[in-house]
Amino acid sequence: GQGDGWVTLVDGTRMGDWTEVGKANWAMKDGALVADKITEGKDPSYLVSKESYKDFEMKVEFWADDDANSGIFIRCDQSAKIDAKICYEVNIFDKRPDPTYGTGAIVDVAKVDPMPKAGGKWNTYEITAKGSQLVVVLNGQKTVDVQDSKHASGPFALQYGSGVIKWRKVAIKP
């Protein structure tokens, strides 16, 4: 419930307040925030949080189809242009050509082997950032436990790149 420090940005009834970078057809449908196409240009679309976060826990429920290229970008160095170089990208990308940094990994920071698959079902991500320690748990299984200090704090972002992505819950506890 409220008062325990958790801030819920997305739930079954609301899509939350975000700054959109790049355009996709984000909409609330059947109790989830959904995107399934880029509506302008070719670049991915990002929903960027208005607040910045340093140390936090995050709980996310998402559904991805097999073709989805998505992810949760955390501790971004800026909010106007998002990519895996200025943020940590906790990936959702079952068909990534190099699966080393596919679903369950943090791109270019923490590899995953073997890569778990998220396509075709509801999944949970639990992400903890505390100082230089980053821990990612996908569906109850730890996929990342790494020390990295490139990015200390910043907003986070939800990515739509391709396929279908649905977010049923996005909550963060600073």
Side-chain angles (χ1 to χ4, degrees), residues 153-172:
S153 73
F156 72 91
L158 308 177
Q159 182 192 48
Y160 174 75
S162 61
V164 181
I165 188 76
K166 305 178 186 183
W167 309 92
R168 188 163 65 184
K169 179 182 182 180
V170 178
I172 192 164

Side-chain angles (χ1 to χ4, degrees), residues 16-168:
D17 189 18
W18 307 88
T19 302
E20 190 177 355
V21 174
K23 292 272 184 237
N25 60 341
W26 299 101
M28 288 299 294
K29 279 185 202 151
D30 302 324
L33 170 57
V34 181
D36 64 9
K37 74 168 187 271
I38 303 277
T39 54
E40 217 172 89
K42 291 195 183 94
D43 293 335
S45 174
Y46 301 89
L47 297 182
V48 186
S49 68
K50 301 278 172 99
E51 303 290 324
S52 284
Y53 301 92
K54 182 180 170 194
D55 292 348
F56 57 86
E57 289 174 69
M58 198 171 187
K59 285 184 189 161
V60 177
E61 293 177 20
F62 70 93
W63 186 95
D65 72 352
D66 293 333
D67 296 325
N69 177 4
S70 180
I72 303 160
F73 288 64
I74 61 172
R75 285 184 174 174
C76 297
D77 296 341
Q78 53 165 299
S79 56
K81 179 190 183 302
I82 306 295
D83 64 40
K85 290 180 188 63
I86 67 146
C87 317
Y88 295 113
E89 180 185 3
V90 181
N91 215 354
I92 302 168
F93 194 0
D94 285 1
K95 288 190 175 171
R96 192 173 192 268
D98 172 6
T100 318
Y101 296 111
T103 300
I106 298 179
V107 175
D108 296 336
V109 174
K111 298 176 178 180
V112 66
D113 182 32
M115 183 189 74
K117 295 277 179 121
K121 61 180 188 280
W122 284 101
N123 302 271
T124 58
Y125 254 145
E126 293 163 276
I127 303 165
T128 306
K130 196 172 183 187
S132 61
Q133 188 183 32
L134 305 170
V135 177
V136 175
V137 177
L138 175 66
N139 299 329
Q141 187 180 358
K142 190 186 286 186
T143 58
V144 167
D145 189 341
V146 73
Q147 298 284 332
D148 191 277
S149 52
K150 274 196 294 292
H151 312 294
S153 73
F156 72 91
L158 308 177
Q159 182 192 48
Y160 174 75
S162 61
V164 181
I165 188 76
K166 305 178 186 183
W167 309 92
R168 188 163 65 184

